[in-house]
Amino acid sequence: MDNIDANIYVIHYKRGTIVKNDGFYKPLMSGNFFAKEKEPYIGDDTHANISDKNRYFSELTGIYWVWKNTHHHITGVCHYRRFFTVHPEPFLYQLKRYLYPIVGIGKKRFGLIYTKDVENFKSKILTKKELLEIFSRYDGVLPQARSLNYTVEEHYRRYHDIHDLYLLRSILMEKYPEYLEAFEAVLRGKSLYANNICILKNPHYESFMEWWFDMIFEFERRTDMKKYVGYQKRIIGFIAERLLTVWFKKNQINCKELQLIYFKSFKSE
């Protein structure tokens, strides 16, 4: 299986690397359209691209570039500080995650291994060999679903504009009514695939991207994007997470869920 063409693109918005550009992991600078100085990585502002939408689309401009300008048997994306791992969370880290909310330090999310120890943990980042072993039995990889305190709908109502979800429902009714049942089930549930990252075999990858960006662009077309300010400017990233969860709910792809290593300490170049 070593000859299988598999790549994971590492989405950046600032310089600095945890993994080398080794032919398996490929750094990609998102929003490169706005860069005053071009970065030493591939930018998402070449060939077919939407880099100029980055202020609202966040990592999705990089993900779009990968979809439109590359082709692999297996394609994935992760973030420059969040990487998939097959290694279990160390017991001390599990204990901290359990104790922190009790003593009032703050809650650590399940599915994320928070660490500042880059040197010790970068060796635990998913390798190509590990990925191919997974894909001998599965068709995709997702991050472990995030458990919410509220339903997905109530969570969105509390932190964003609930009318965004109403608009998504309207678009689905018109364009993809077969997804409505999955959409409503996701909204009633309390779990979400966060961060807009996954790894998929073709043709699942192509099918997902086609549907995902069709929904995203239709939402953008029907929305006054200028109304989103500050943190809410990341609107497309927020709705994309919900849509990703809906697509996987509907299509029931045979996926393996993996934890993410979240490198809290990161020195940019």
Side-chain angles (χ1 to χ4, degrees):
M1 293 183 66
D2 288 342
N3 62 344
I4 292 178
D5 181 21
N7 280 107
I8 296 178
Y9 289 83
V10 185
I11 307 296
H12 287 250
Y13 74 90
K14 63 169 65 173
R15 291 186 181 189
T17 56
I18 291 175
V19 294
K20 294 180 180 179
N21 182 358
D22 61 0
F24 175 52
Y25 283 102
K26 294 181 179 293
L28 175 67
M29 189 63 66
S30 65
N32 210 44
F33 174 85
F34 298 101
K36 295 179 180 179
E37 296 181 9
K38 296 305 178 183
E39 305 296 342
Y41 317 134
I42 302 169
D44 69 350
D45 58 339
T46 61
H47 308 298
N49 76 88
I50 54 170
S51 186
D52 60 337
K53 298 179 183 286
N54 184 261
R55 289 170 177 164
Y56 297 104
F57 277 57
S58 302
E59 65 273 1
L60 273 298
T61 62
I63 294 170
Y64 180 88
W65 186 94
V66 173
W67 175 40
K68 288 297 185 179
N69 298 291
T70 70
H71 180 80
H72 309 285
H73 295 121
I74 299 172
T75 305
V77 293
C78 64
H79 296 167
Y80 74 106
R81 291 199 301 172
R82 296 180 179 92
F83 294 86
F84 290 105
T85 183
V86 297
H87 296 274
E89 183 178 20
F91 175 74
L92 181 59
Y93 283 75
Q94 294 181 39
L95 187 62
K96 285 181 178 179
R97 182 161 48 79
Y98 175 75
L99 292 176
Y100 275 17
I102 295 175
V103 298
I105 295 178
K107 184 178 181 181
K108 300 292 185 183
R109 293 178 187 168
F110 177 76
L112 287 176
I113 302 172
Y114 294 82
T115 185
K116 296 180 180 179
D117 192 348
V118 174
E119 289 307 310
N120 283 331
F121 274 84
K122 68 180 181 181
S123 64
K124 299 181 185 299
I125 292 171
L126 181 71
T127 66
K128 183 176 181 179
K129 181 179 179 181
E130 291 166 341
L131 178 69
L132 294 183
E133 197 283 324
I134 291 171
F135 273 83
S136 69
R137 295 175 289 120
Y138 295 90
D139 296 317
V141 169
L142 287 166
Q144 289 183 351
R146 177 184 170 188
S147 296
L148 306 176
N149 291 326
Y150 315 102
T151 65
V152 170
E153 182 171 16
E154 181 59 26
H155 182 274
Y156 202 94
R157 187 193 312 275
R158 287 171 177 258
Y159 297 104
H160 310 292
D161 184 348
I162 192 61
H163 293 92
D164 299 336
L165 296 186
Y166 299 161
L167 178 54
L168 288 180
R169 181 183 284 119
S170 296
I171 296 170
L172 284 172
M173 288 177 67
E174 294 176 23
K175 303 195 71 171
Y176 302 101
E178 68 274 17
Y179 278 82
L180 279 171
E181 183 178 351
F183 179 76
E184 300 299 344
V186 168
L187 293 194
R188 292 192 304 268
K190 292 186 176 181
S191 64
L192 180 74
Y193 291 121
N195 304 125
N196 291 318
I197 59 178
C198 64
I199 310 171
L200 284 171
K201 291 178 180 177
N202 273 327
H204 297 309
Y205 172 76
E206 293 293 339
S207 176
F208 170 55
M209 289 291 162
E210 188 72 43
W211 181 88
W212 205 23
F213 278 100
D214 187 44
M215 285 293 299
I216 287 168
F217 288 140
E218 189 63 24
F219 177 91
E220 179 196 29
R221 189 181 70 82
R222 301 188 191 192
T223 303
D224 178 11
M225 301 299 288
K226 293 180 181 178
K227 73 180 182 180
Y228 300 100
V229 297
Y231 176 64
Q232 299 301 331
K233 268 192 174 183
R234 297 185 66 251
I235 173 60
I236 297 300
F238 300 142
I239 67 155
E241 290 176 319
R242 279 74 188 169
L243 289 171
L244 181 151
T245 306
V246 169
W247 191 87
F248 281 94
K249 178 78 171 178
K250 169 69 169 67
N251 289 282
Q252 294 294 303
I253 303 301
N254 184 25
C255 286
K256 173 74 172 176
E257 293 188 12
L258 294 180
Q259 281 190 300
L260 300 177
I261 303 174
Y262 184 6
F263 292 98
K264 294 291 289 181
S265 179
F266 179 83
K267 292 182 179 180
S268 59
E269 297 173 353

